[in-house]
Amino acid sequence: MSVELNHTIVHARDNRESAAFLAHVLGLEAGAPWGPFVPVETANGVTLDFATVPAADLSPQHYAFLLSDEEFDAAHARIREAGITFCADPHLTLPGEINHHHGGRGLYFRDPAGHGMEIITRPYGSLPEAGTR
């Protein structure tokens, strides 16, 4: 068996709110609560298990999602319709813009817990000349 990421726990102020937020943006569904977790499963079988933690225990993380061009267009539209601030860069200094790194498109936004979320249409390093992030 090859090594695969199966699941990860994502800390949130409100597990249901954060799971529903990400599921909506990505066009997925939040699963039924399981113990303290609300899962969101991606197409490659990786589950993000959202867990409510005290605000003092929240440490912003970064999560990047690879989408097809059609999925990106739909997610971008949902982000705009919801009034979610998005930027072309991880430092959030280029609001309302998308990037075109690695021959694709990408954007960054924050979830309700403050995690940095990224959607991209091409993996990093997918172009030979694109060796850096």
Side-chain angles (χ1 to χ4, degrees), residues 6-8 12 25 28 33-34 46 54 56-57 66 71 80 84 114 129:
N6 178 265
H7 69 277
T8 190
V25 167
L28 302 173
W34 184 76
V46 175
D57 291 343
L66 181 62
E71 291 165 332
R80 287 192 324 265
I84 299 166
E129 66 275 11

Side-chain angles (χ1 to χ4, degrees), residues 11-132:
H11 289 171
R13 288 186 310 242
D14 180 318
N15 60 355
R16 293 172 196 268
E17 175 190 32
S18 287
F21 173 86
L22 184 63
H24 172 72
V25 167
L26 297 179
L28 302 173
E29 292 186 21
W34 184 76
F37 307 111
V38 177
V40 174
E41 186 175 352
T42 64
N44 61 340
V46 175
T47 302
L48 291 93
D49 292 324
F50 288 86
T52 300
V53 299
D57 291 343
L58 278 173
S59 178
Q61 301 294 314
H62 175 80
Y63 300 91
F65 301 91
L66 181 62
L67 283 65
S68 69
D69 284 315
E70 295 77 18
E71 291 165 332
F72 182 93
D73 291 340
H76 187 208
R78 287 188 290 270
I79 288 168
R80 287 192 324 265
E81 289 167 7
I84 299 166
T85 300
F86 66 92
C87 297
D89 65 306
H91 303 292
L92 308 178
T93 63
L94 300 168
E97 297 180 34
I98 64 171
N99 66 57
H100 297 278
H101 302 314
H102 311 281
R105 295 178 292 157
L107 64 82
Y108 299 81
F109 58 98
R110 297 266 182 219
D111 85 336
H115 296 300
M117 300 292 178
E118 178 182 11
I119 57 173
I120 56 176
T121 60
R122 293 287 301 260
Y124 287 153
S126 60
L127 292 179
E129 66 275 11
T132 62

